[in-house]
Amino acid sequence: MRLLHALALVALLLAGGSLVWPWAVGYLTHERSPGRILDVIPEPLANGRVRLRIAYEFPVGAGVDGRRYLLGWGVADAYFRHLGHPDVAAVRAEGVIRDLMDTDRGQVRVRTVFYRAEDPAGTAVILDETAERPTRRIPIGLVLLGVAVVWSLSLWRRRS
């Protein structure tokens, strides 16, 4: 029975870890800064989709006035892989642009810009918000890891 419990715990830890690992590595290897989307430029494609070129600014370090602002245009998925410029279905494009530009709220929403300290302008990315169905892998992975930890603590407590 102990072997089955151990195998189940290892399976939960591996499944949860594999879902959370790219996110954790991205947070550990990249610097973070608050950013603001300046403009979203739609480019119609031949296949009924629209490519969105997203321009944003973010502060880095200290300049003459206290901060130096850089421009970025990179977008990454939840695995921190560069997507280039995301494309969406033409029928969704206007709504996605309105969401990105925060035109319905009347206030500017801050996005987290991830970059590497040695080359902030060349490595800056924001996480993709244009997906039709957002990924749920981070919360699911955290829940699996939490269940494994709580289960292992309860099994340890029963033995003592």
Side-chain angles (χ1 to χ4, degrees):
M1 189 57 99
R2 286 184 183 177
L3 180 62
L4 289 176
H5 285 291
L7 289 174
L9 282 173
V10 168
L12 281 173
L13 288 171
L14 287 175
S18 67
L19 293 173
V20 173
W21 181 252
W23 174 74
V25 168
Y27 268 81
L28 292 173
T29 60
H30 290 75
E31 302 291 324
R32 291 174 299 284
S33 180
R36 179 174 70 98
I37 291 181
L38 299 173
D39 199 7
V40 179
I41 302 164
E43 176 187 330
L45 300 173
N47 59 358
R49 298 186 65 81
V50 176
R51 177 171 291 135
L52 302 177
R53 298 182 186 273
I54 303 169
Y56 50 90
E57 69 175 357
F58 61 101
V60 175
V64 177
D65 63 345
R67 288 190 166 197
R68 179 176 60 139
Y69 283 87
L70 296 176
L71 292 175
W73 52 87
V75 178
D77 63 5
Y79 293 97
F80 282 83
R81 293 182 299 213
H82 288 269
L83 294 177
H85 301 290
D87 54 323
V88 298
V91 296
R92 289 187 57 234
E94 186 177 336
V96 170
I97 292 170
R98 291 179 67 87
D99 286 344
L100 290 171
M101 294 297 297
D102 302 319
T103 54
D104 295 333
R105 294 186 202 176
Q107 62 185 12
V108 176
R109 195 176 89 195
V110 175
R111 270 58 173 215
T112 302
V113 178
F114 298 90
Y115 62 91
R116 296 196 183 262
E118 62 273 2
D119 183 18
T123 60
V125 294
I126 58 174
L127 297 182
D128 183 28
E129 298 176 29
T130 64
E132 202 164 332
R133 286 185 284 162
T135 180
R136 304 257 189 260
R137 56 183 221 41
I138 302 299
I140 290 170
L142 291 174
V143 166
L144 290 174
L145 290 174
V147 166
V149 168
V150 169
W151 189 15
S152 68
L153 291 175
S154 71
L155 290 175
W156 177 73
R157 187 172 179 195
R158 280 190 216 158
R159 286 187 209 157
S160 40

